[in-house]
Amino acid sequence: MKVTVKRKDNSIPVVIGTEFIKLESAMKLANILPTGGAAKAEIQEGFVSVNGEVCTMRGKKLYPGDKFTYEGQTYLISIHAAL
């Protein structure tokens, strides 16, 4: 008998209502950092990864399904579902 184990995804959703969001804006939207300046500094210092790779571009466009990680926590960009 073969058993398949699925890894639980502990990503925190960041819901957007647009086609994409810039990394800096996503960090502010997720209430990770209080200001855009703080987000800019953390991104440019290399403390943020996008889809598993370090990203130093604060204007990096994130689309639904993309993930970014900061201080060990992963955030998943999700699209707003119409009610």
Side-chain angles (χ1 to χ4, degrees), residues 4-12 67 73-74:
T4 303
V5 178
K6 291 187 178 182
R7 199 160 112 193
K8 186 174 179 182
D9 186 3
N10 291 326
S11 300
I12 296 173
K67 293 182 179 183
Q73 181 60 59
T74 302

Side-chain angles (χ1 to χ4, degrees), residues 48-59:
V48 182
S49 64
V50 174
N51 297 326
E53 295 183 18
V54 173
C55 180
T56 57
M57 300 181 327
R58 64 187 177 124

Side-chain angles (χ1 to χ4, degrees), residues 3-83:
V3 177
T4 303
V5 178
K6 291 187 178 182
R7 199 160 112 193
K8 186 174 179 182
D9 186 3
N10 291 326
S11 300
I12 296 173
V14 178
V15 180
I16 62 173
T18 57
E19 180 183 357
F20 65 86
I21 188 169
K22 292 182 179 179
L23 177 56
E24 178 181 353
S25 298
M27 292 181 75
K28 289 187 333 189
L29 180 63
N31 291 320
I32 298 171
L33 296 166
T35 67
K40 174 184 173 181
E42 294 295 289
I43 294 166
Q44 290 180 332
E45 289 293 322
F47 295 128
V48 182
S49 64
V50 174
N51 297 326
E53 295 183 18
V54 173
C55 180
T56 57
M57 300 181 327
R58 64 187 177 124
K60 172 79 173 160
K61 292 179 181 178
L62 303 178
Y63 294 88
D66 285 340
K67 293 182 179 183
F68 70 93
T69 303
Y70 177 70
E71 291 190 339
Q73 181 60 59
T74 302
Y75 300 84
L76 173 65
I77 304 300
S78 303
I79 193 78
H80 175 68
L83 298 176

